[in-house]
Structures are given as structure tokens and as C-alpha cells.
Amino acid sequence: MKSITYYLTLFVIKLKGLKREFSKDPIDFNKLRKEDVHRPKPASFRPHFMRQFSVAETLLTEVKPAATNGFLLLFCPGGAFVYGPARHHWHAAKQLVSQTQCTLWMVDYPKAPENNIAFISENIDAVYAYAVETHGAGKVILVGDSAGGTLLTALTQRLVQKSKALPLALVLISPVMDASFSNPQLDALEKVDPMLSKAGVLSAKRMCAQHYGVDDVRLSPVNGSFSNFPRTLLLVAENDITYPDQQLVVQQLCEAAVEVKVIKGEGMPHIWPILPVMQEARAAFQEMTSYIRRTIAGASDKV
């Protein structure tokens, strides 16, 4: 039985017209960008400390607890590659820091259509390299939702391919694994997905792909290899058009003998663990932060 806050959340999603916005082709990215929050007020993060700096063309916002455990959460927010981070990302960031005592970097990467996937990926690579330089790969955990999950999955594939130092773990919230949206199972899910529609999301992916095409592994990690991945947590939602491709990736991770844990939201919408108010979201978020704490404790025991 779903909570009252679940139905309230679905009502708010409908009221905001997200499904309508994500049904437009081409997608109206300028309208979506009205939800952007690039420079939050430092006072809103107290008692944590906040500062901003840049790596390449990416704005990074550091949220740091007074007593940090030395680990870094590299948080890559979603937004279909065309907008973000939004208010719910900042709320999630504060809660992540409070519940894990990790430092967090919000990765405000360049967006499409002004920038393509090659340039965006170069920025993600540069940010990760700086994170490794400052904290060490073994103390970096990658966290991403939706398109942010795409970018971090593709980053990890490149790291493995180039034999570079891997992060301690991946935490992926409703990651988009196939930008082509060609999976036939999507059609039935589109009818029940309260947030996303294939037409608008595919339009946004094409804006990001440009001449590279939506099958490019940087946009569609499902087309790449998952061998030698670090331990991975996936939080997936049943009423989400991105769910069928996540199932394929879970299968690939298992076949590659990767340590993978899946938290499935029955009847949940896209990115449900970081949606505010919803009781089911809070429970999933606590499972996620518990996973992060256990991962850190395991790594600390080995030192």
C-alpha cells in the first residue's frame, strides 16, 4: 500500500506538467532551465561549509561537513543533458552530506545543445581526474541520477578501458542507459510513467549527441562493457521508461561478476529516491546512504 505522500507527489508532478514538457519534440530546454539552481545560498547548507570552484568548463560546488571522514561523493545531477541542477538535487546533496559525513561535489557540467557529448565527457573526465588528485581514487564514490548516471557509467567504462584508477563505488539513481530509447518494452511503460515521455527525452539526447549519434557509448552505456566495474548500487523504478534498459545493464553487470545491488521501487516514478516529501523516497534514500556508509566502513577496514 502506497503512502499518502506518494499520491501527493504524483499530483505535484502532474500539476507541474512534467509529462507534457517531456512530450515535446523538440524539447523546450529554455523552459526547463527555469528550474536551474547554479549558485545556492551558502546559508541553506549550514552547518556544512560551501564553496565553488571550476575545473575545465564545469562549475563545482563543494559541500563539506565540519567533521569529514575524508571521502568524496562526486554527485552528477540529471536533467536530460539540457538543464540542471535543480532544487531537488541540492536537497539531496545536503542530506547525503549529513547522513554520510562525506564531502560532496555537485558537478554542474556544460549542457546541450550548446555543447555536445564529447565536450561534456571531457569535462567529466577532468573533474574525476581532479577528484583523484585531491582525494585518491579509493576515497571517491560516484553518485548520479538520470543523465548524470549516464555520464558516470560511461566515465567508468572509459577508466576501465584506459586502465586508470577506479572509484570506490557507483551509486546510480534511475540512470539512462540507452539514449536511443529503442527498447520495445518502453511503449507499455510510457502509458504509466507520470514524468517522462520518449519524444521529449529522445529529442534532448539528440541535442546532446549531435553528429555522434544517440548510440554512442558515451550516451548509451548499454552498448559498452561492464567488465571490471567497481561495486555498484542501482536504484530503479518500475513506472519509468528508463527501467527496461536498466534491467539489461543489471544482467550485464551480473555476467561480468560485478558486485551489484539493486533497489527497486514498485510503482515508483523516475528518480524517486531524491524526490522530496514522499515517504517511499525517504526510505530508499536511507538505504542508499546506509550502502555508502557500509562501503566506506569496508574500505576503511582494509587500510
Side-chain angles (χ1 to χ4, degrees), residues 71-75 96-97 100 102-105 141 143 292:
F71 287 79
L72 175 69
L73 303 179
L74 206 59
F75 187 11
L96 279 166
V97 173
T100 67
C102 297
T103 298
L104 180 145
W105 289 358
I141 296 175
V143 182
I292 291 171

Side-chain angles (χ1 to χ4, degrees), residues 153-277:
T153 305
L155 163 68
T156 307
Q157 289 174 330
R158 291 192 296 276
L159 294 173
V160 172
Q161 188 177 33
K162 297 175 183 178
S163 299
K164 291 191 175 182
L166 297 176
L168 178 61
L170 270 75
V171 176
L172 306 172
I173 306 163
S174 298
V176 181
M177 291 299 188
D178 188 348
S180 74
F181 288 90
S182 56
N183 192 320
Q185 294 182 40
L186 267 62
D187 295 333
L189 275 174
E190 180 146 17
K191 298 173 184 177
V192 296
D193 189 323
M195 187 183 300
L196 301 181
S197 184
K198 178 179 174 178
V201 180
L202 182 56
S203 166
K205 305 304 180 187
R206 285 172 174 160
M207 289 178 182
C208 187
Q210 297 180 22
H211 66 278
Y212 292 101
V214 291
D215 289 328
D216 190 293
V217 71
R218 291 169 293 188
L219 280 164
S220 297
V222 71
N223 296 328
S225 171
F226 290 86
S227 296
N228 300 312
F229 257 49
R231 66 184 317 207
T232 301
L233 172 67
L234 282 112
L235 298 102
V236 301
E238 280 188 335
N239 289 357
D240 177 0
I241 61 171
T242 68
Y243 179 53
D245 297 318
Q246 292 154 9
Q247 291 178 294
L248 294 176
V249 166
V250 170
Q251 182 179 343
Q252 290 176 269
L253 286 165
C254 291
E255 289 173 354
V258 174
E259 182 183 341
V260 58
K261 177 178 173 61
V262 179
I263 298 174
K264 182 171 71 173
E266 296 182 3
M268 292 294 122
H270 190 63
I271 67 166
W272 101 100
I274 59 172
L275 295 179
V277 179

Side-chain angles (χ1 to χ4, degrees), residues 19-29 197-207:
K19 182 84 171 185
R20 182 176 63 253
E21 292 304 319
F22 279 105
S23 298
K24 294 178 180 178
D25 183 10
I27 197 166
D28 188 349
F29 60 88
S197 184
K198 178 179 174 178
V201 180
L202 182 56
S203 166
K205 305 304 180 187
R206 285 172 174 160
M207 289 178 182

